[in-house]
Amino acid sequence: MGQRTGGRLIGIFAAALALLQPGSAAAWGYYGHQTTANIAMANVSPRTRAGIARLLAQSRELGTPDCPVTTLAQAATWPDCIRRDPWRWAYTFPWHYQTEPIAQPYDARKNCSSGACVSAQVERNQRILADESLPASVRVEALAFMVHFAGDIHMPLHSGDNDDKGGNDVVTQYGIVPGLNLHSIWDGALAERAITSATPPLVRRYTAAERAALAGGGPADWGRESHDLAKNFVYPNAFGSAPPSDSATLTQEAIVAAVPIAARRIQQAGIRIADYLDIAFAPGPLPQPDRGDRR
């Protein structure tokens, strides 16, 4: 075996082992959430950027020194970081998702008792963020939650499932890497590949035409998009013509087909976060949210 070939194989196995490490599959992965936040920061107005900076300067008031919030990228991962302290934050854990069976129509009013779901929490935290009468610590927390949850709702398996906890119960082989699950692959490996392989890069200032193609709607609409993608792409991509089961294999062809889907959801999340931030930091009262079918 040549030195170059041996080094390449070592790199492949190292990457495989990294994917298998516990804790590598936080919602959309730290890299995915940081990327949506960085897209947003590249596309918000100067007024919004200044308002974010003023809030983040007071982020120590959150009282989470092990989970700092000094940048918007850190804010986007903070709601996953605080999971290490369930005694304090366990009540927020159901806010990250709103899965509904792919065999049924999506309804943003389901699985959202007392607003404990991702679509409701995007709206709630935007309104808290916009309220300048509230303490800085409350608004920083709302900033982090809104940015994170707007990312979560764009990941298809946070909205659609097949009685498998959003793909968490589907043991899935990702190329040569065994032992993952379908949810963790979409959260981590696929998102990372979509980000690193994108040309042009996903983090950039988007043109007005690009923004118009990516933006729009509210959390209920974004959740429905994700539910439709889970039904029409994610599960068929994993299982082909076979019915969904408790195990699957993503072939190289299936991975290549999924990458542009993952990339577009990350782009949409980043641009829509930018729009929601601009609204929250705009002068005057916050407009009524676009609730989609949450009537």
Side-chain angles (χ1 to χ4, degrees), residues 12 19 24-25 31 57 112-113 125 130 133 151 186 195 216 226 253 265-266 286:
I12 290 171
L19 285 170
S24 64
Y31 192 27
C112 197
S113 177
N125 283 286
S133 71
W186 274 86
I195 295 163
S226 286
E253 291 76 15
R265 292 308 276 169
I266 292 167
L286 189 69

Side-chain angles (χ1 to χ4, degrees), residues 3 15 50 52 54 65 113 118-119 171 196 227:
Q3 184 176 11
I52 291 170
R54 286 194 299 272
S113 177
V118 67
S119 63
V171 178
T196 57
H227 184 269

